[in-house]
Amino acid sequence: MVESHPQLSKVLQTWSDASKMISALDCLAVVTFVGATDLAETEVSLKAMWDVIHPKSGSNVGTVRKPRPPVLAAALSAWTFLLTTIGSWRINTDSWKEPIAFLSTLLGAEDRAVRMAAGEALALCFELNLLDISPSEDADDDTGVPGSSKGKLFLDMQALKAKIAGLASNLSAEAGGKGADKKNLSDQRDLFQRILDFVKYGECPEESMKIAGKRDVLRVASWSELIQLNFFKRFLGRGFLKHVQ
């Protein structure tokens, strides 16, 4: 991880061709997943990925590099995959309002893969309770913003929750009429129905897959586990079962 991180981050900063960036994102996610020993190390990789997802303005005012849809979807997937590992560490909820708000805007992206990757990221944010603020905590927070308070943050997060639930509902029932893009449409409907069921009723996603024989079955029953399983299945390809066995 120590040796590869600077090289992989450099690829992401130079904005080379899409295939190289996607490979670098996947590799950075896996070496950090395996090699990071604390939150600080994981956060370095999360930041590198977030800079691809939501790049800042360049030296020229108004020039913001925008990733192509395949790169954006890959960055979202890698970022979400790593985010599954921070559940046991202390999370400062105050700092999550802006990222979650940006992720919610991606539910309206033209590219379906981007919408689905953003949906998974938001489902994980719900599972990690990143949108949960106590309304009674109305003392000034430590963000340094004048007049900023937990009470306002609570209202903002409640509004975000309602917005995300509404968008998930729409995407779970998107019509596939004449002329509509039907690629992965059923997958999108299924994913956002799962997200909606989790957000509204607390129903966790459940999946199982045979590893070897009838008794060796791998079961997942949370968004964190499902996201990790799907990422490794895609990353390892045909080698996945061998690794699990």
Side-chain angles (χ1 to χ4, degrees):
M1 177 179 167
V2 171
E3 293 173 359
S4 63
H5 197 285
Q7 304 301 324
L8 296 170
S9 297
K10 189 175 180 181
V11 173
L12 299 183
Q13 291 165 2
T14 55
W15 288 67
S16 54
D17 66 81
S19 62
K20 279 186 182 178
M21 288 189 72
I22 291 169
S23 294
L25 286 161
D26 284 349
C27 288
L28 185 58
V30 172
V31 296
T32 305
F33 183 89
V34 175
T37 56
D38 57 30
L39 180 58
E41 290 182 348
T42 303
E43 281 184 327
V44 174
S45 294
L46 284 169
K47 185 183 183 305
M49 294 167 180
W50 188 257
D51 286 343
V52 176
I53 296 168
H54 191 30
K56 305 298 182 188
S57 298
S59 54
N60 298 323
V61 177
T63 59
V64 180
R65 296 175 299 184
K66 288 189 176 182
R68 293 168 58 187
V71 174
L72 179 53
L76 285 164
S77 177
W79 183 84
T80 305
F81 171 69
L82 272 193
L83 197 64
T84 63
T85 66
I86 73 168
S88 59
W89 290 314
R90 184 179 176 275
I91 300 169
N92 179 11
T93 315
D94 297 353
S95 62
W96 285 95
K97 177 188 165 186
E98 185 181 340
I100 291 171
F102 180 74
L103 288 172
S104 71
T105 66
L106 295 180
L107 295 182
E110 288 187 18
D111 187 83
R112 182 163 286 133
V114 171
R115 294 198 296 267
M116 293 173 68
E120 285 194 337
L122 287 166
L124 182 62
C125 289
F126 273 93
E127 184 170 274
L128 294 174
N129 299 317
L130 299 182
L131 292 93
D132 291 347
I133 301 287
S134 171
S136 61
E137 298 174 18
D138 54 3
D140 284 348
D141 60 27
D142 56 356
T143 59
V145 181
S148 181
S149 67
K150 285 282 197 282
K152 183 179 184 303
L153 186 61
F154 170 77
L155 294 174
D156 289 344
M157 287 302 200
Q158 289 299 104
L160 258 180
K161 282 183 178 182
K163 175 188 176 184
I164 293 166
L167 289 169
S169 178
N170 293 340
L171 290 167
S172 71
E174 183 179 330
K178 187 178 180 181
D181 177 16
K182 296 182 180 65
K183 185 180 179 182
N184 297 328
L185 178 59
S186 61
D187 291 340
Q188 175 188 286
R189 288 172 177 164
D190 178 60
L191 172 66
F192 282 99
Q193 187 58 55
R194 282 181 163 194
I195 293 172
L196 196 60
D197 290 342
F198 180 68
V199 171
K200 293 182 74 173
Y201 310 114
E203 294 182 13
C204 294
E206 294 184 5
E207 274 193 23
S208 61
M209 64 177 297
K210 290 182 180 179
I211 303 303
K214 293 182 178 180
R215 295 186 178 182
D216 294 327
V217 178
L218 179 64
R219 291 184 174 87
V220 296
S222 71
W223 282 104
S224 292
E225 292 176 348
L226 182 62
I227 287 163
Q228 289 180 7
L229 173 64
N230 287 339
F231 189 94
F232 273 121
K233 278 169 64 178
R234 180 181 60 78
F235 183 78
L236 296 171
R238 289 182 297 176
F240 176 77
L241 280 178
K242 284 287 185 185
H243 278 280
V244 176
Q245 288 163 5

